[in-house]
Tab-separated table of all heavy atoms in Angstrom:
chain	number	residue	atom	x	y	z
A	1	VAL	N	-15.477	-66.025	-69.489
A	1	VAL	CA	-16.518	-66.879	-68.993
A	1	VAL	C	-16.099	-67.608	-67.704
A	1	VAL	O	-14.914	-67.961	-67.563
A	1	VAL	CB	-17.018	-67.987	-70.021
A	1	VAL	CG1	-15.733	-68.917	-70.413
A	1	VAL	CG2	-18.127	-68.818	-69.699
A	2	ARG	N	-17.099	-67.809	-66.798
A	2	ARG	CA	-16.833	-68.588	-65.646
A	2	ARG	C	-16.581	-70.122	-65.966
A	2	ARG	O	-17.346	-70.561	-66.799
A	2	ARG	CB	-17.953	-68.438	-64.602
A	2	ARG	CG	-17.764	-69.226	-63.246
A	2	ARG	CD	-18.889	-68.977	-62.271
A	2	ARG	NE	-19.023	-67.557	-61.922
A	2	ARG	CZ	-19.811	-67.077	-61.038
A	2	ARG	NH1	-20.678	-67.962	-60.398
A	2	ARG	NH2	-19.839	-65.784	-60.673
A	3	VAL	N	-15.542	-70.755	-65.490
A	3	VAL	CA	-15.251	-72.058	-65.855
A	3	VAL	C	-16.134	-73.077	-65.158
A	3	VAL	O	-16.228	-73.056	-63.897
A	3	VAL	CB	-13.758	-72.368	-65.669
A	3	VAL	CG1	-13.495	-73.848	-66.044
A	3	VAL	CG2	-12.921	-71.439	-66.450
A	4	THR	N	-16.830	-73.929	-65.903
A	4	THR	CA	-17.492	-75.059	-65.399
A	4	THR	C	-16.865	-76.335	-65.998
A	4	THR	O	-16.062	-76.195	-67.021
A	4	THR	CB	-18.951	-75.047	-65.611
A	4	THR	OG1	-19.198	-75.184	-67.121
A	4	THR	CG2	-19.663	-73.805	-65.181
A	5	ASP	N	-17.323	-77.500	-65.557
A	5	ASP	CA	-16.764	-78.647	-66.137
A	5	ASP	C	-17.201	-78.725	-67.615
A	5	ASP	O	-16.310	-79.157	-68.511
A	5	ASP	CB	-17.397	-79.914	-65.419
A	5	ASP	CG	-16.654	-81.205	-65.861
A	5	ASP	OD1	-15.475	-81.219	-65.893
A	5	ASP	OD2	-17.445	-82.133	-66.154
A	6	ALA	N	-18.288	-78.338	-67.981
A	6	ALA	CA	-18.711	-78.262	-69.461
A	6	ALA	C	-17.909	-77.346	-70.240
A	6	ALA	O	-17.476	-77.659	-71.344
A	6	ALA	CB	-20.200	-77.966	-69.530
A	7	VAL	N	-17.600	-76.120	-69.675
A	7	VAL	CA	-16.702	-75.161	-70.373
A	7	VAL	C	-15.331	-75.786	-70.546
A	7	VAL	O	-14.672	-75.668	-71.599
A	7	VAL	CB	-16.659	-73.855	-69.612
A	7	VAL	CG1	-15.544	-73.032	-70.128
A	7	VAL	CG2	-17.967	-73.131	-69.651
A	8	LEU	N	-14.860	-76.464	-69.494
A	8	LEU	CA	-13.480	-76.963	-69.561
A	8	LEU	C	-13.417	-78.039	-70.603
A	8	LEU	O	-12.397	-78.157	-71.388
A	8	LEU	CB	-13.100	-77.615	-68.230
A	8	LEU	CG	-11.624	-77.916	-67.996
A	8	LEU	CD1	-10.632	-76.823	-68.327
A	8	LEU	CD2	-11.412	-78.560	-66.578
A	9	ARG	N	-14.426	-78.849	-70.803
A	9	ARG	CA	-14.419	-79.853	-71.839
A	9	ARG	C	-14.429	-79.156	-73.239
A	9	ARG	O	-13.744	-79.669	-74.133
A	9	ARG	CB	-15.760	-80.760	-71.752
A	9	ARG	CG	-15.573	-81.782	-70.590
A	9	ARG	CD	-16.634	-82.835	-70.809
A	9	ARG	NE	-18.051	-82.250	-70.832
A	9	ARG	CZ	-18.787	-82.099	-69.689
A	9	ARG	NH1	-18.292	-82.530	-68.538
A	9	ARG	NH2	-20.014	-81.594	-69.793
A	10	GLU	N	-15.114	-78.148	-73.400
A	10	GLU	CA	-15.261	-77.509	-74.801
A	10	GLU	C	-13.840	-76.825	-75.008
A	10	GLU	O	-13.514	-76.798	-76.199
A	10	GLU	CB	-16.405	-76.424	-74.734
A	10	GLU	CG	-17.694	-77.006	-74.654
A	10	GLU	CD	-18.849	-76.060	-74.681
A	10	GLU	OE1	-18.543	-74.776	-74.768
A	10	GLU	OE2	-20.027	-76.361	-74.665
A	11	LEU	N	-13.269	-76.224	-74.061
A	11	LEU	CA	-11.931	-75.676	-74.341
A	11	LEU	C	-10.904	-76.683	-74.548
A	11	LEU	O	-9.970	-76.438	-75.308
A	11	LEU	CB	-11.588	-74.770	-73.123
A	11	LEU	CG	-12.549	-73.545	-72.813
A	11	LEU	CD1	-12.020	-72.786	-71.667
A	11	LEU	CD2	-12.670	-72.659	-74.082
A	12	THR	N	-11.035	-77.788	-73.932
A	12	THR	CA	-10.130	-78.851	-74.103
A	12	THR	C	-10.195	-79.429	-75.546
A	12	THR	O	-9.226	-79.819	-76.252
A	12	THR	CB	-10.327	-80.052	-73.136
A	12	THR	OG1	-10.116	-79.518	-71.801
A	12	THR	CG2	-9.301	-81.188	-73.411
A	13	ALA	N	-11.421	-79.401	-76.006
A	13	ALA	CA	-11.684	-79.820	-77.507
A	13	ALA	C	-10.946	-78.918	-78.479
A	13	ALA	O	-10.751	-79.388	-79.687
A	13	ALA	CB	-13.149	-79.864	-77.765
A	14	LEU	N	-10.572	-77.714	-78.099
A	14	LEU	CA	-9.850	-76.797	-78.956
A	14	LEU	C	-8.438	-76.906	-78.953
A	14	LEU	O	-7.704	-76.195	-79.646
A	14	LEU	CB	-10.311	-75.379	-78.561
A	14	LEU	CG	-11.760	-74.950	-78.720
A	14	LEU	CD1	-11.944	-73.559	-78.210
A	14	LEU	CD2	-12.117	-75.058	-80.207
A	15	VAL	N	-7.882	-77.903	-78.167
A	15	VAL	CA	-6.448	-78.068	-78.072
A	15	VAL	C	-5.781	-78.236	-79.475
A	15	VAL	O	-4.744	-77.710	-79.772
A	15	VAL	CB	-6.123	-79.250	-77.218
A	15	VAL	CG1	-4.579	-79.665	-77.402
A	15	VAL	CG2	-6.312	-78.877	-75.686
A	16	PRO	N	-6.362	-78.990	-80.408
A	16	PRO	CA	-5.730	-79.177	-81.762
A	16	PRO	C	-5.693	-77.831	-82.468
A	16	PRO	O	-4.896	-77.681	-83.404
A	16	PRO	CB	-6.728	-80.153	-82.486
A	16	PRO	CG	-7.330	-80.924	-81.359
A	16	PRO	CD	-7.508	-79.930	-80.249
A	17	TRP	N	-6.517	-76.876	-82.084
A	17	TRP	CA	-6.472	-75.552	-82.807
A	17	TRP	C	-5.383	-74.675	-82.268
A	17	TRP	O	-4.980	-73.696	-82.931
A	17	TRP	CB	-7.781	-74.871	-82.649
A	17	TRP	CG	-9.022	-75.555	-83.441
A	17	TRP	CD1	-9.020	-76.781	-83.877
A	17	TRP	CD2	-10.303	-75.034	-83.604
A	17	TRP	NE1	-10.125	-77.037	-84.480
A	17	TRP	CE2	-10.984	-75.961	-84.337
A	17	TRP	CE3	-10.874	-73.744	-83.411
A	17	TRP	CZ2	-12.336	-75.846	-84.702
A	17	TRP	CZ3	-12.148	-73.536	-83.758
A	17	TRP	CH2	-12.885	-74.527	-84.446
A	18	ALA	N	-4.899	-74.963	-81.122
A	18	ALA	CA	-3.819	-74.153	-80.485
A	18	ALA	C	-2.889	-75.143	-79.735
A	18	ALA	O	-2.809	-74.929	-78.511
A	18	ALA	CB	-4.274	-73.011	-79.656
A	19	PRO	N	-2.242	-76.087	-80.392
A	19	PRO	CA	-1.547	-77.112	-79.558
A	19	PRO	C	-0.344	-76.608	-78.763
A	19	PRO	O	0.070	-77.250	-77.777
A	19	PRO	CB	-1.072	-78.110	-80.732
A	19	PRO	CG	-1.062	-77.242	-81.978
A	19	PRO	CD	-2.192	-76.218	-81.758
A	20	LEU	N	0.241	-75.467	-79.150
A	20	LEU	CA	1.415	-74.973	-78.456
A	20	LEU	C	1.009	-74.247	-77.148
A	20	LEU	O	1.766	-74.160	-76.189
A	20	LEU	CB	2.124	-73.961	-79.327
A	20	LEU	CG	3.542	-73.562	-78.908
A	20	LEU	CD1	4.473	-74.776	-79.017
A	20	LEU	CD2	4.077	-72.427	-79.815
A	21	HIS	N	-0.268	-73.837	-77.073
A	21	HIS	CA	-0.599	-73.077	-75.936
A	21	HIS	C	-1.859	-73.517	-75.089
A	21	HIS	O	-1.781	-73.596	-73.849
A	21	HIS	CB	-1.052	-71.574	-76.358
A	21	HIS	CG	0.007	-70.803	-76.960
A	21	HIS	ND1	0.419	-70.930	-78.253
A	21	HIS	CD2	0.963	-69.952	-76.457
A	21	HIS	CE1	1.378	-70.091	-78.658
A	21	HIS	NE2	1.731	-69.501	-77.549
A	22	GLN	N	-2.873	-74.058	-75.719
A	22	GLN	CA	-4.077	-74.408	-75.044
A	22	GLN	C	-3.925	-75.370	-73.912
A	22	GLN	O	-4.453	-75.215	-72.867
A	22	GLN	CB	-5.165	-74.959	-76.022
A	22	GLN	CG	-6.565	-74.940	-75.539
A	22	GLN	CD	-7.227	-73.614	-75.794
A	22	GLN	OE1	-6.602	-72.530	-76.159
A	22	GLN	NE2	-8.601	-73.484	-75.696
A	23	PRO	N	-3.124	-76.494	-74.138
A	23	PRO	CA	-2.897	-77.393	-73.022
A	23	PRO	C	-2.310	-76.783	-71.748
A	23	PRO	O	-2.664	-77.086	-70.667
A	23	PRO	CB	-1.985	-78.464	-73.621
A	23	PRO	CG	-2.062	-78.391	-75.094
A	23	PRO	CD	-2.389	-76.921	-75.310
A	24	HIS	N	-1.352	-75.809	-72.041
A	24	HIS	CA	-0.636	-75.183	-70.905
A	24	HIS	C	-1.621	-74.124	-70.302
A	24	HIS	O	-1.484	-73.802	-69.019
A	24	HIS	CB	0.648	-74.487	-71.406
A	24	HIS	CG	1.588	-75.465	-72.004
A	24	HIS	ND1	1.972	-76.647	-71.386
A	24	HIS	CD2	2.218	-75.444	-73.179
A	24	HIS	CE1	2.709	-77.407	-72.174
A	24	HIS	NE2	2.941	-76.682	-73.284
A	25	ASN	N	-2.508	-73.465	-71.070
A	25	ASN	CA	-3.515	-72.637	-70.479
A	25	ASN	C	-4.485	-73.289	-69.561
A	25	ASN	O	-4.936	-72.741	-68.625
A	25	ASN	CB	-4.344	-71.933	-71.681
A	25	ASN	CG	-3.506	-71.118	-72.532
A	25	ASN	OD1	-3.864	-70.927	-73.743
A	25	ASN	ND2	-2.320	-70.651	-72.181
A	26	LEU	N	-4.890	-74.508	-69.873
A	26	LEU	CA	-5.816	-75.198	-69.149
A	26	LEU	C	-5.352	-75.989	-67.997
A	26	LEU	O	-5.996	-76.307	-66.930
A	26	LEU	CB	-6.649	-76.183	-70.051
A	26	LEU	CG	-7.370	-75.524	-71.250
A	26	LEU	CD1	-8.115	-76.576	-72.073
A	26	LEU	CD2	-8.431	-74.395	-70.696
A	27	ALA	N	-4.063	-76.348	-67.964
A	27	ALA	CA	-3.425	-77.124	-66.909
A	27	ALA	C	-3.585	-76.355	-65.561
A	27	ALA	O	-3.893	-76.970	-64.487
A	27	ALA	CB	-1.949	-77.351	-67.240
A	28	PRO	N	-3.349	-75.068	-65.496
A	28	PRO	CA	-3.550	-74.309	-64.242
A	28	PRO	C	-4.994	-74.339	-63.657
A	28	PRO	O	-5.232	-74.255	-62.538
A	28	PRO	CB	-3.078	-72.905	-64.545
A	28	PRO	CG	-2.270	-73.035	-65.713
A	28	PRO	CD	-2.808	-74.092	-66.537
A	29	VAL	N	-6.008	-74.355	-64.603
A	29	VAL	CA	-7.358	-74.437	-64.227
A	29	VAL	C	-7.563	-75.794	-63.379
A	29	VAL	O	-8.257	-75.684	-62.363
A	29	VAL	CB	-8.309	-74.394	-65.440
A	29	VAL	CG1	-9.763	-74.470	-64.963
A	29	VAL	CG2	-8.114	-73.088	-66.199
A	30	ARG	N	-7.109	-76.863	-63.978
A	30	ARG	CA	-7.260	-78.195	-63.295
A	30	ARG	C	-6.507	-78.214	-61.987
A	30	ARG	O	-6.973	-78.659	-60.983
A	30	ARG	CB	-6.824	-79.228	-64.237
A	30	ARG	CG	-7.725	-79.372	-65.515
A	30	ARG	CD	-7.242	-80.584	-66.323
A	30	ARG	NE	-8.142	-80.636	-67.514
A	30	ARG	CZ	-7.892	-80.259	-68.759
A	30	ARG	NH1	-6.691	-79.573	-68.878
A	30	ARG	NH2	-8.691	-80.326	-69.813
A	31	ALA	N	-5.325	-77.654	-62.069
A	31	ALA	CA	-4.426	-77.733	-60.851
A	31	ALA	C	-5.005	-76.840	-59.756
A	31	ALA	O	-5.020	-77.285	-58.542
A	31	ALA	CB	-3.027	-77.170	-61.179
A	32	ALA	N	-5.517	-75.728	-60.084
A	32	ALA	CA	-6.137	-74.730	-59.119
A	32	ALA	C	-7.420	-75.394	-58.520
A	32	ALA	O	-7.686	-75.275	-57.267
A	32	ALA	CB	-6.444	-73.394	-59.634
A	33	ALA	N	-8.192	-76.070	-59.273
A	33	ALA	CA	-9.375	-76.780	-58.815
A	33	ALA	C	-9.106	-77.793	-57.821
A	33	ALA	O	-9.915	-77.964	-56.886
A	33	ALA	CB	-10.206	-77.275	-59.950
């Protein structure tokens, strides 16, 4: 999916489901933006 602010919020809400990976997966999205 193309990332939008809304998508980013929804994926951030899934951090408790994958705490070892999800925060590090999303950090480059924010950094690149």
Side-chain angles (χ1 to χ4, degrees):
V1 63
R2 183 177 297 186
V3 179
T4 65
D5 190 48
V7 168
L8 192 54
R9 284 195 300 269
E10 291 181 0
L11 298 181
T12 301
L14 295 175
V15 165
W17 293 14
L20 195 66
H21 297 89
Q22 199 86 348
H24 304 311
N25 299 155
L26 300 180
V29 178
R30 298 186 176 95

